[in-house]
Amino acid sequence: MDLNRIPFRKIAGKLSFNRATIWVALLSCILLTQSCRINFTLNGSAIDYTVYKTISVSNFPIRAALVYPPLQQTFENALLDYITRNTRLQVVENGADLEMTGEITGYSLSPQAVTENALASKTRLTITVRVKYTDTKNEKNDVDQSFSAYQDFDSSEMLTDVQDQLCSEITEQLVDLIFNATLGNW
C-alpha cells in the first residue's frame, strides 16, 4: 500500500475531534496546572516563607572531653552565615518560628593508616555536634540528632599547626549536614 496515494482528507477526517472534546481537554489541563504547584530552590531549602519568618540559633557550648576554645565561635558563625545566605529567615533571639539549639559533644583524635612499623601515618580529627531543631508550627519536623564529620592529616604534622584549617573544613561539612537535615528538609 502506497501511503502517498491516500488523500489527506481521509486521514484528517478520521482524526477530527469535536469541540466538546477539545474544551474538556483544555479545561483539564488548566485545572491540573492550577492545582499542582512545583516549588524548588537552588540552595536546597524547603521552607514555606508564608508560614516561617524567623529562626533563633542559640550558643553551642563545648561539652567534649578535649576542648579547642575557638571551635565554638567558628561553628556558631559558620552556621549563622550559612542560614542567612541560604534562606530568607530573619535571625531573632526569642520567640522564633524555628529554633536551633545544641552542643559540641565530641572533639577526638584517632590513629588511621598504620604503616609497616606499626606507627600511624595519618591521624583523624572528628568533631561531633548534637542539634535540637524545633519547628514551633509543626512538631513532625523536629530533629534531635548528632552529626559527625572528620578530616585526616599526616601524623608527622603537629595538631596545633593544622587545627584551625581542619576545624574550618569539618565545620563546613557539619553545617551542610545540619542544614540538610533541618531546614533543607531532605
Side-chain angles (χ1 to χ4, degrees):
M1 174 176 195
D2 187 9
L3 293 177
N4 290 331
R5 293 188 179 179
I6 299 175
F8 181 72
R9 219 174 343 168
K10 284 185 179 178
I11 295 172
K14 291 179 182 179
L15 296 177
S16 67
F17 297 103
N18 64 20
R19 281 188 176 169
T21 305
I22 293 172
W23 280 109
V24 168
L26 263 170
L27 197 57
S28 297
C29 287
I30 291 171
L31 287 175
L32 280 174
T33 57
Q34 293 298 319
S35 65
C36 296
R37 187 176 111 188
I38 298 171
N39 186 14
F40 69 95
T41 59
L42 297 176
N43 63 13
S45 173
I47 301 167
D48 182 357
Y49 292 108
T50 61
V51 176
Y52 303 102
K53 307 235 186 276
T54 59
I55 186 168
S56 70
V57 180
S58 72
N59 292 334
F60 280 73
I62 300 174
R63 305 264 191 254
L66 258 154
V67 176
Y68 179 57
L71 177 60
Q72 179 179 352
Q73 195 65 45
T74 300
F75 176 77
E76 290 169 359
N77 288 343
L79 183 60
L80 279 170
D81 287 348
Y82 197 87
I83 290 170
T84 55
R85 270 194 332 262
N86 292 292
T87 70
R88 294 185 306 207
L89 295 172
Q90 181 181 6
V91 179
V92 297
E93 292 293 321
N94 297 316
D97 300 325
L98 303 167
E99 299 170 354
M100 199 175 295
T101 61
E103 57 193 2
I104 300 169
T105 58
Y107 187 88
S108 61
L109 296 168
S110 59
Q112 304 294 313
V114 178
T115 62
E116 66 275 352
N117 56 1
L119 296 174
S121 63
K122 296 278 187 187
T123 302
R124 176 170 290 172
L125 174 61
T126 304
I127 299 174
T128 305
V129 178
R130 181 175 174 256
V131 174
K132 185 174 183 196
Y133 171 79
T134 306
D135 181 339
T136 60
K137 308 281 186 188
N138 185 357
E139 67 184 35
K140 290 189 304 183
N141 295 333
D142 290 358
V143 173
D144 191 348
Q145 181 179 345
S146 288
F147 299 90
S148 289
Y150 64 87
Q151 285 291 322
D152 294 338
F153 64 98
D154 197 89
S155 292
S156 63
E157 298 177 288
M158 295 294 295
L159 176 62
T160 54
D161 295 337
V162 295
Q163 194 162 255
D164 287 336
Q165 178 65 30
L166 292 173
C167 285
S168 178
E169 292 170 4
I170 295 170
T171 294
E172 283 181 35
Q173 294 172 19
L174 286 168
V175 166
D176 200 35
L177 289 169
I178 292 166
F179 184 86
N180 287 339
T182 56
L183 297 167
N185 202 15
W186 298 101

